[in-house]
Structures are given as C-alpha cells and as structure tokens.
Amino acid sequence: MQRLDLPPSQAHPLAGLFSERSGVSLALVAMLSMGAALYAALLYAPTERIQGDVQRIFYFHVPLAWTSYLAFFVVFVASAAYLVKRAPLMDAVARSSAEVGLLFTTMMLITGSLWARPIWGTWWSWDARLTTTLLLWFIYVGYLMLRSSVDDEEKAARYAAVIGIVGAVDIPIIHQSVVWWRSLHPESVVLASGGPAMPGSMLTALLVSLAAFTILYVVLVLMRTRLELARVDLRALRRRALERVA
Amino acid sequence: MSRANGRSPFFRTVNTLVWRDLLSEYRSREILGGGIVFALLTLVVFNFAIDLRLESAEEVAPGILWIGFAFAGMLAFGRSFAAERERGTLDGLLLAPIDRGAIYLARAITNAILMCIVELVSLPVFVALYNVRAAWGELLLTTALGTIGFTSAGTLVAAIAANTRAREIMLPVLLLPLTVPVLIASVKATAVALGAQSVEPLPWLQLLLAFDVIMVATSFLVFEYILDE
C-alpha cells in the first residue's frame, strides 16, 4: 500500500494507542477493577455509624466527580492541541472525552441527589459545588449540541474546540462566583488538613474505586475515539471514491 | 502602513470597523429599536410575574433588570452577525488584510456600545417603575462592568452560533452557562447600588473585573479560529 493511501486517522504518532487490541485488553482490566471497586464499596468498607449504608454511594459519587473534571480537562487540552496542529485525532479525543465526561457528570448529579434526599432531606440544594457541576453539565451539553448543529465537520471541530477552551477557562470563575453566592456541601474529607478524616478501610475502598473509574474513563474514551477515527476514515474514503468517479 | 495620529494600524482598524458598524446601525436602527423595546417590555412583564409590592424590592428587582439586559443583549449579538451575513459583508471583511483580533474587538466594542445605550434608556424607567432609590455612580459602574463581560463572551459565541443550523437556539444555550458569573455578580452589585444592606459590593465588582479581563483576552486569542475559512 502506498503512503498516500494511509487513512487520515493513522497519520498521527499516537494513533497506535487506539488499536483494536489495546482496547480489548484495557476493557478486561476495566471490568476486573470495576468488580474490585464494587466489592470494596459494598462489602469491604465498614458501614458508616450515622448515615448507614447510604454513605456507600460516596464510593461512586466521588470517583465520578473526579473523572468528570478529568474528562473536561482532557477536552481543554485536546481542543488547544487541535487548534494548533489540526490533527483529526485530537478532535476525536476532545469529542469522546466530552461525551464520557457528560455521562459521568450526569451520574454524579444523580448519585448526589440520591444521597442528599435521606441525608439533607432534599433532592437538590443550590450549594456551590452542586451549582458549579450543574453549569458544567450545561456547558458540555451545549458543546455537544454545537457539534451536531454544524454540517461541515472541519468547522464543527474548530467551533467546538473554541467552546472547549473558553468553557474550561470559565469554570474557575463560575466556581468562585457560586462559592460567594452560597455554600453547604460537606467539607472535603480526603484532602482535609491533618490527613484524611476517615478510617483507613474507607479510604482504601475510595482509592480502589477512584482507580477503577479512572480506568473505565480511559477505556471508554479510547473506544469512542476509535469509532470517531473510523468515521473520519470512512468520510475520507467516500470523498476519494467520489473524486475517482467524477 | 503609515502611523497616522501616532496610533498603531491595529487600533486604527478597530476604530474604522466600530464606526462602520455604528453607522450601519444608525441607518437601520434595527438593533437599538428592538433592544430598547424588548428591555422595557421585560421590566413590565416581570412586574406581573412577580409581585413587587413587597418590602425588599431592591433584593428582587436587580434580577429582573439583568434578565432584561441579558436577553436584549443576546438579541443584539445574534442580529449583528445575521445582518453581516445577509448583506454578504463578512466575506469582504475576511478578504481585507486585517487582523482577526481587530474584527473581534471592533464587534465587541460596537455590541457593548449598543447594549449600553439600551441600558441607559432602561435604567431610569426601571428606577421609576420599581420605585427604588439608586446610587447612580455604583449603578453605572456595575452596569458597565457587567456589560463588558456579557458582550465579550456574547460576541464570541454569536460568531460561532451564526454558522450553525439552529442559531437562535445555539446562542443562548452556549452563552448563558458561560456568563453565569457575570449575572450573579451584576445582580449582587446592582442590589448594593439600590441600597440592599445584606451584600458586600467589593468582591462582586472585583469578580466582574476579573471575568472581563479573562474573557476579553481568551476570546481575542481564539477568535481567529472561528473566522478561519
């Protein structure tokens, strides 16, 4: 095969990461680690004295929050990289990460609500972190809506990258504004000064779950990116076929 | 390029573009007329939605005012790019050998001027209709800072939305979450200017200033990627 016939997705040094084989083996790792996380959260970790079993949702809620923020940070970096280099791979990564991030943010909001109902006595409170997360959710819903409402793929990628960057730059300001607006969320128990304010076994369960969700995030983004790159290749093939006919 | 008046070519370009936009608005009066009527209507309609005979009008009224400004602003931003598109003048602008950043800055300045005119007309009406006392210095400072923040993001988003299929929907969907800090800070600072005792004004004005600087700088840097045809 000639060099010219390489599909566009393969024209990037990092393209090998997204091969079928690496995807399958990583998916196995993700499955095993999610199993470990379930065991750690539901059986291994002790029952909290005051909140009871409801507290166990914490082992899913916190990792979801962490992976969501990681996802939107990846969108930011990949968007900037796309605008500089215009590599289709970077755009595919940004898009995939935004989709997975939106999924995880949705689940974070739902698990948070489920916990808040028995503990706070309400499904929702306009607390700073909840409000920031909700606005984050809206920003990336807009990001994905924008992608699907531009016909030209290359333009859609550029516009989305701009929103991916502006949105990420805006998040700290949004957070500051809603912190001053009001706050009621439980203080961070892991990064508290003077060490984590919880028993070691709970911390272990949380760390296992954090690792599992991070792996799951990576696997989902890799698979989604591969799908996106296949679409890019398909479009390139179609275009070439049309040129040959014409 | 010659340096007439001791100014750099960049700022001369911005200057020319702003005058061009303002002149075209002066001739059509499309945005200003619509914007002013819309903002005033918002003030009237919200009076029916929320009963403001209550004691704490100065706590609630700023929110209504800024909803009116935000929506009038969004109409103006969307209209400004749509008009350019209909007349086909955007292509001409892109063919001219000028900095893309200058196009952004000029458009943002024009939008801010138009929004300020709408606000200057609406504010006295607002004070009269809602029967509040205003500290005009603070009120105008807050309005100016809030307007700069809202237009800096709004101009960028409107340029993107103008190229999408559902542009009337994409503009608010993208812009409102991004400008929540402006809305919160402007509403709080306006409440202080109307005499609300429960709020500290300085942090909110600082937040507005920070948003303005960060958003203008970021938009200025990324705008060229939107116009790149």
Side-chain angles (χ1 to χ4, degrees), chain A residues 129-191:
Chain A
R129 271 184 252 185
L130 274 72
T131 312
T132 307
T133 308
L134 187 61
L135 292 171
L136 202 66
W137 188 84
F138 274 114
I139 289 178
Y140 290 94
V141 166
Y143 172 95
L144 291 174
M145 274 177 73
L146 171 65
R147 300 208 65 129
S148 59
S149 76
V150 182
D151 294 318
D152 184 324
E153 295 288 334
E154 194 267 337
K155 270 189 191 172
R158 266 193 286 124
Y159 299 159
V162 167
I163 293 296
I165 291 172
V166 175
V169 169
D170 204 18
I171 290 168
I173 318 179
I174 292 180
H175 185 69
Q176 190 55 56
S177 70
V178 293
V179 162
W180 282 344
W181 191 53
R182 61 188 55 163
S183 204
L184 170 133
H185 199 279
E187 280 312 301
S188 173
V189 286
V190 182
L191 300 172

Side-chain angles (χ1 to χ4, degrees), chain A:
Chain A
M1 217 186 232
Q2 285 174 327
R3 184 88 182 79
L4 270 176
D5 286 325
L6 258 182
S9 66
Q10 301 304 317
H12 195 279
L14 290 176
L17 269 179
F18 300 89
S19 70
E20 185 108 35
R21 204 146 40 117
S22 67
V24 170
S25 46
L26 259 169
L28 271 175
V29 176
M31 213 170 77
L32 291 176
S33 57
M34 285 308 287
L38 273 176
Y39 171 78
L42 299 181
L43 299 171
Y44 170 76
T47 307
E48 220 261 356
R49 197 184 303 153
I50 301 161
Q51 301 184 8
D53 280 333
V54 178
Q55 182 266 340
R56 290 180 193 277
I57 212 163
F58 162 86
Y59 302 113
F60 303 103
H61 180 70
V62 174
L64 283 168
W66 144 250
T67 37
S68 302
Y69 280 87
L70 173 71
F72 297 135
F73 181 70
V74 169
V75 174
F76 170 63
V77 174
S79 298
Y82 176 74
L83 287 185
V84 176
K85 289 270 169 71
R86 300 292 166 94
L89 175 70
M90 283 303 144
D91 176 53
V93 169
R95 178 186 202 146
S96 314
S97 192
E99 284 179 7
V100 178
L102 191 63
L103 173 73
F104 282 13
T105 312
T106 310
M107 295 196 323
M108 166 177 33
L109 289 168
I110 292 172
T111 53
S113 273
L114 289 178
W115 174 86
R117 181 64 189 165
I119 302 300
W120 286 346
T122 168
W123 295 108
W124 181 261
S125 100
W126 291 98
D127 148 79
R129 271 184 252 185
L130 274 72
T131 312
T132 307
T133 308
L134 187 61
L135 292 171
L136 202 66
W137 188 84
F138 274 114
I139 289 178
Y140 290 94
V141 166
Y143 172 95
L144 291 174
M145 274 177 73
L146 171 65
R147 300 208 65 129
S148 59
S149 76
V150 182
D151 294 318
D152 184 324
E153 295 288 334
E154 194 267 337
K155 270 189 191 172
R158 266 193 286 124
Y159 299 159
V162 167
I163 293 296
I165 291 172
V166 175
V169 169
D170 204 18
I171 290 168
I173 318 179
I174 292 180
H175 185 69
Q176 190 55 56
S177 70
V178 293
V179 162
W180 282 344
W181 191 53
R182 61 188 55 163
S183 204
L184 170 133
H185 199 279
E187 280 312 301
S188 173
V189 286
V190 182
L191 300 172
S193 58
M198 63 171 130
S201 52
M202 282 186 171
L203 186 63
T204 312
L206 177 64
L207 291 178
V208 169
S209 189
L210 269 177
F213 272 91
T214 310
I215 296 170
L216 180 67
Y217 161 76
V218 172
V219 171
L220 288 177
V221 169
L222 284 182
M223 289 183 157
R224 182 66 184 84
T225 305
R226 198 170 72 229
L227 178 65
E228 194 58 34
L229 288 177
R231 280 201 189 138
V232 172
D233 290 349
L234 184 62
R235 269 200 304 275
L237 279 174
R238 273 208 191 118
R239 211 173 301 130
R240 206 179 302 160
L242 280 175
E243 274 162 16
R244 225 166 258 175
V245 171

Side-chain angles (χ1 to χ4, degrees), chain B residues 7-50:
Chain B
R7 276 179 301 183
S8 70
F10 180 85
F11 285 105
R12 268 196 307 142
T13 311
V14 173
N15 205 6
T16 314
L17 287 177
V18 170
W19 278 115
R20 155 190 175 273
D21 290 344
L22 287 179
L23 188 65
S24 114
E25 172 57 29
Y26 173 73
R27 286 182 183 152
S28 69
R29 291 184 201 90
E30 220 170 29
I31 295 171
L32 271 184
I36 290 171
V37 173
F38 185 86
L40 294 180
L41 257 179
T42 313
L43 294 180
V44 173
V45 169
F46 262 94
N47 190 46
F48 303 131
I50 300 167

Side-chain angles (χ1 to χ4, degrees), chain B residues 91-116:
Chain B
D91 297 327
L93 205 56
L94 291 177
L95 285 172
I98 46 179
D99 195 311
R100 303 297 196 232
I103 298 179
Y104 166 74
L105 218 53
R107 174 65 63 186
I109 291 172
T110 314
N111 280 339
I113 291 174
L114 294 180
M115 230 182 123
C116 278

